[in-house]
Amino acid sequence: MTVLLGLGIAGIVLLALSLVFDGILEGLLGDALGGLLNGFFDGLLSLPVVAGFLSMLGFGGAIVLGTTGAGVPVALAAGAASGLVAAWLTWKFSQALMRDQTTATPRGDDLVGTSGSVVTPIPADGYGEVLLRLAGQTVKFSAKSAVPVERGAEIWVEATLSTTSVTVRPVER
């Protein structure tokens, strides 16, 4: 019983360590044997999957040993079966998490053609400030214009000069 509980606890400790060290085996051993092991520790042999198997082997075996009159071989078989199920579920869950992609990060070129308003007047060939909407957020940018633009005027973005500045023109209606 003590050995089985020790295996379960070791699995939980390995799972906690895998949060920090997952991928270290790939980094250390990935190029070993001429790259033969490259990608070998991904998937079914990743640290979270091994930790899930080890902890369920120990805890599942301890539960069966403690609640039934069966011997150690039966407890180990039940623990191994529950460990395989836990390892497979961990592997499938990690695959699902890896497939989850976010939307593309907005780029400066996404601003071209958007409208905004002037918050600091823009002198001719000088800089002022405008408010623009980028990815649903209002963001203040430095703005340059060929003609003077007054505060509160509506503008269109013609080009991005840098990550924090744009070229604008006033909207004429």
Side-chain angles (χ1 to χ4, degrees), residues 4-19:
L4 290 173
L5 289 175
L7 284 173
I9 292 170
I12 299 247
V13 169
L14 184 61
L15 182 61
L17 289 175
S18 75
L19 295 174

Side-chain angles (χ1 to χ4, degrees), residues 49 52-58 60 77-90:
V49 173
F53 172 78
L54 189 61
S55 63
M56 284 308 294
L57 169 68
S82 64
L84 288 173
V85 169
W88 183 80
L89 288 173
T90 304

Side-chain angles (χ1 to χ4, degrees), residues 10-137:
I12 299 247
V13 169
L14 184 61
L15 182 61
L17 289 175
S18 75
L19 295 174
V20 176
F21 296 114
D22 191 28
I24 203 132
L25 291 176
E26 293 89 349
L28 292 175
L29 302 174
D31 292 331
L33 303 173
L36 181 65
L37 296 178
N38 198 8
F40 185 71
F41 296 107
D42 289 339
L44 286 175
L45 286 179
S46 66
L47 281 179
V49 173
V50 171
F53 172 78
L54 189 61
S55 63
M56 284 308 294
L57 169 68
F59 290 136
I63 289 171
V64 169
L65 189 61
T67 58
T68 66
V72 174
V74 173
L76 284 175
S82 64
L84 288 173
V85 169
W88 183 80
L89 288 173
T90 304
W91 178 56
K92 292 307 269 183
F93 184 63
S94 65
Q95 280 185 329
L97 288 176
M98 292 298 184
R99 277 194 309 268
D100 187 26
Q101 300 294 321
T102 61
T103 58
T105 304
R107 307 256 187 247
D109 293 338
D110 295 337
L111 291 171
V112 175
T114 61
S115 65
S117 61
V118 178
V119 291
T120 303
I122 306 170
D125 292 324
Y127 282 93
E129 294 177 321
V130 295
L131 287 179
L132 303 172
R133 293 199 52 88
L134 178 63
Q137 300 291 320

Side-chain angles (χ1 to χ4, degrees), residues 160-171:
T160 55
L161 301 173
S162 71
T163 57
T164 59
S165 63
V166 292
T167 301
V168 299
R169 67 173 172 84
V171 173

Side-chain angles (χ1 to χ4, degrees), residues 145-163:
S145 176
V147 297
V149 185
E150 295 299 318
R151 183 179 190 274
E154 186 178 1
I155 50 90
W156 286 98
V157 176
E158 291 182 326
T160 55
L161 301 173
S162 71
T163 57

